[in-house]
Amino acid sequence: GSEADRRRLTDALAPAGLVERIAERLIDAASAVSGCGPAFCDLFLEALADGAVACGLPRVAALRCAAQMMLGSAKLALDSGSHPGALKDAVCSPGGSTIQGVRALEQGGFRGTVMEAVIAAYERTLELG
């Protein structure tokens, strides 16, 4: 289609959220993040809340705090255009609480595990055709 057709389609889809032009060969990769990612985020959200509950915070407050934090972090990443590593570094004070939490996540293989989840979802999408 023409550029005008693309613009009309983008304008029509815009109210639903982000409209990203992606090469057809990359649609399954994008789906592994945007389609399957909510379940991964929900697991992380639940785990954050469970940790806060273990520290004594009531469940309702724990979920609300964790969800609001995730929303704010995502908005900051989108609005600032900063690399996630730079955003993480900005809140990791030397010898502070946050860097110790990051250390615990890294000891557990957090980033590698998340990457494997996206790759597993992508590979399954390819299998399903």
Side-chain angles (χ1 to χ4, degrees):
S2 71
E3 187 57 39
D5 290 340
R6 286 189 198 104
R7 172 57 47 207
R8 279 192 294 280
L9 178 60
T10 299
D11 290 347
L13 294 173
L18 173 70
V19 178
E20 184 80 28
R21 287 181 68 180
I22 297 172
E24 187 173 348
R25 65 182 177 76
L26 298 175
I27 295 295
D28 291 332
S31 177
V33 172
S34 61
C36 302
F40 308 155
C41 286
D42 289 336
L43 282 171
F44 184 54
L45 176 58
E46 181 182 33
L48 288 168
D50 284 349
V53 169
C55 294
L57 196 62
R59 170 79 49 197
V60 171
L63 279 168
R64 194 170 34 249
C65 288
Q68 187 62 47
M69 177 280 306
M70 288 178 73
L71 180 65
S73 292
K75 184 166 176 28
L76 180 61
L78 289 172
D79 291 351
S80 72
S82 296
H83 187 278
L87 295 173
K88 175 212 29 111
D89 289 349
V91 296
C92 286
S93 303
S97 305
T98 305
I99 194 64
Q100 293 304 321
V102 169
R103 179 178 61 91
L105 288 170
E106 292 296 351
Q107 285 176 337
F110 180 74
R111 287 189 292 175
T113 301
V114 172
M115 290 171 64
E116 288 302 318
V118 174
I119 293 166
Y122 170 72
E123 289 173 345
R124 181 62 178 150
T125 299
L126 295 179
E127 288 172 7
L128 293 172

